[in-house]
Amino acid sequence: MQLADIDAVLFDMDGTLVDSDAAVERAWERWAAEYAVDPAAALAIAHGRPADQTIRRLLPALDDAAVAVAAARQLALQYDDLSDVTPTPGAHEVLAVLGRLGLPWAVVTSADVRLAQARLGAAGITTPVLVTVEDVRVGKPDPEGYLRAAALLDVPPTRCLVVEDAEVGLQAGRAAGALTAALKGLDGDLRLVDLTQLADGLLSAPTAR
């Protein structure tokens, strides 16, 4: 499948549409200090995963209730840290191209709805469909979030492009049966330097639209 064959685009949020890497790292570093966890170990596995999944791997002795408390604390550290949250290069450009082509799109994120709305708002992005960690039973790398977004857009997942900057997200996209586009040097069906490249590719793809 090529770009000309896709009928919808499903974006990850952090690191893909929204540059929030510094805020994410600050929150995990603070959380790690509070929970006596090596911050480097936390950052090595946190990106793209729901907080509770990361915490279970870091602190396997915690029971479900303690994991929920720890995950809530980690998210709380991120809610108001928006000072350097911005759109990623090409984010607004690719969204404008999707509008021009009449292609539907959605955001699928491991954040909760409060954090997702705060970060998207800080980046000046309003998404027509938002799937958060609160909308799924299992987070990335499980494909549930991307399958749900495709269903909400009424597009078969095999006709969707998943855009990601984390390996767990790319695994979720592949498991959903979608074409994948990878940022940050990762390996997808398409490899992107930034979203400007995707915008240009969509405009130049042969299409009957």
Side-chain angles (χ1 to χ4, degrees):
M1 186 169 70
Q2 304 297 321
L3 282 179
D5 301 316
I6 65 167
D7 293 326
V9 180
L10 312 178
F11 294 97
D12 173 53
M13 183 180 71
D14 291 310
T16 298
L17 275 182
V18 176
D19 184 354
S20 54
D21 288 356
V24 171
E25 290 177 5
R26 285 193 297 270
W28 277 108
E29 287 167 354
R30 289 182 60 189
W31 180 92
E34 293 179 10
Y35 279 82
V37 170
D38 177 6
L43 291 173
I45 63 171
H47 190 60
R49 295 181 187 272
D52 63 338
Q53 285 188 19
T54 300
I55 290 164
R56 288 182 191 280
R57 293 183 63 180
L58 294 169
L59 298 171
L62 294 185
D63 61 22
D64 289 348
V67 168
V69 170
R73 173 57 180 157
Q74 205 287 325
L75 287 171
L77 290 168
Q78 301 188 51
Y79 289 141
D80 298 321
D81 189 355
L82 302 172
S83 60
D84 51 4
V85 173
T86 60
T88 55
H92 285 291
E93 184 177 351
V94 74
L95 297 181
V97 167
L98 292 176
R100 175 177 167 182
L101 296 176
L103 284 173
W105 61 279
V107 172
V108 180
T109 177
S110 295
D112 66 6
V113 66
R114 176 180 171 185
L115 182 58
Q117 289 176 343
R119 286 196 175 143
L120 290 168
I125 294 170
T126 301
T127 179
V129 171
L130 175 63
V131 176
T132 74
V133 71
E134 295 164 311
D135 297 314
V136 298
R137 293 166 297 174
V138 186
K140 302 172 187 178
D142 190 275
E144 183 181 358
Y146 283 120
L147 293 173
R148 179 176 176 83
L152 290 170
L153 295 176
D154 196 25
V155 175
T158 54
R159 302 283 296 184
C160 292
L161 174 68
V162 165
V163 188
E164 274 277 359
D165 74 314
E167 182 56 38
V168 290
L170 290 168
Q171 290 173 16
R174 294 185 196 105
L179 186 74
T180 59
L183 294 157
K184 297 183 179 176
L186 297 177
D187 190 21
D189 296 304
L190 306 173
R191 299 182 70 175
L192 301 175
V193 174
D194 58 28
L195 294 181
T196 301
Q197 184 181 356
L198 178 58
D200 292 342
L202 288 166
L203 282 175
S204 61
T207 176
R209 294 185 197 95

